[in-house]
Amino acid sequence: LVHFCAGTLALITLLQVGEIRRFWPVAVLVILFALRELDFNDWWFEPGVLEIELLFSDVPLWHKAVSVLAMIAVTYVILRVAYVGFRPVWARRSEAWVKLFPVLGLTVLISLLFDHPAKTARQLGVEITQAQIDAIVSVEEASEFAMAMVVLLMVCLYRYAQFARPGSDGPSKG
């Protein structure tokens, strides 16, 4: 959680006011990752609020409504990040920070695949030992830490690329 918060603070600190208005979905996405790390989505309902199976389970209708609204909000933030970021990122595909997107995607994929190994193994009907669970959790936690560090590195490289452009004399004063 600390590394997600540090990444968000760095993002907000390194971006100028106009950029914050444009890139707010990125900060919100990092906050959503931090909440996911705290299993915030599992605090309220069983199954968790972002679990598709909640929609088909025997729970009150208001649980389903809250779940659908949460899924819509998360989907909106993800799509907004993609919309805001795709064209500028593609235009700067030769810059170092853009080349880190595949690494970021890999860390996200590993984190999602290895999250809650005991629960996933039970759902698949596979028996795993506590030592295997511990190893999988260690890989997942290391991947999440790497994800936060990659995001922080990307923000720093983005700012460096802006300052290194011809005619740039550093951050603006307003």
Side-chain angles (χ1 to χ4, degrees):
L1 176 64
V2 172
H3 47 272
F4 282 117
C5 292
T8 303
L9 287 175
L11 178 69
I12 292 169
T13 303
L14 292 172
L15 296 177
Q16 298 170 8
V17 174
E19 292 171 322
I20 290 174
R21 276 186 246 145
R22 184 169 157 215
F23 289 111
W24 68 264
V26 176
V28 171
L29 187 62
V30 172
I31 291 167
L32 289 174
F33 279 141
L35 290 173
R36 172 89 169 102
E37 175 62 20
L38 290 172
D39 293 325
F40 186 76
N41 54 310
D42 292 332
W43 289 4
W44 310 103
F45 309 128
E46 184 60 40
V49 72
L50 296 178
E51 300 282 336
I52 295 290
E53 66 188 69
L54 183 126
L55 300 176
F56 305 104
S57 62
D58 188 26
V59 298
L61 185 59
W62 74 273
H63 285 203
K64 294 178 182 183
V66 168
S67 182
V68 167
L69 289 174
M71 289 178 191
I72 289 170
V74 169
T75 302
Y76 173 75
V77 169
I78 291 170
L79 291 175
R80 187 78 180 142
V81 166
Y83 173 75
V84 166
F86 182 73
R87 278 185 294 174
V89 167
W90 184 252
R92 296 179 178 162
R93 61 188 174 272
S94 63
E95 294 181 15
W97 67 275
V98 177
K99 293 178 182 177
L100 288 173
F101 268 104
V103 176
L104 181 62
L106 181 63
T107 60
V108 170
L109 182 65
I110 290 170
S111 295
L112 291 174
L113 290 175
F114 291 171
D115 197 28
H116 303 294
K119 178 181 171 185
T120 304
R122 272 194 312 276
Q123 289 173 342
L124 295 173
V126 176
E127 293 290 324
I128 58 175
T129 66
Q130 186 59 45
Q132 290 170 322
I133 291 172
D134 292 342
I136 292 169
V137 167
S138 296
V139 169
E140 187 247 348
E141 292 297 327
S143 179
E144 288 178 348
F145 180 76
M147 180 192 330
M149 294 300 103
V150 169
V151 168
L152 184 58
L153 180 60
M154 289 172 76
V155 170
C156 291
L157 289 172
Y158 168 77
R159 293 303 288 166
Y160 176 78
Q162 283 188 325
F163 298 147
R165 287 197 185 105
S168 174
D169 56 344
S172 66
K173 303 293 186 226

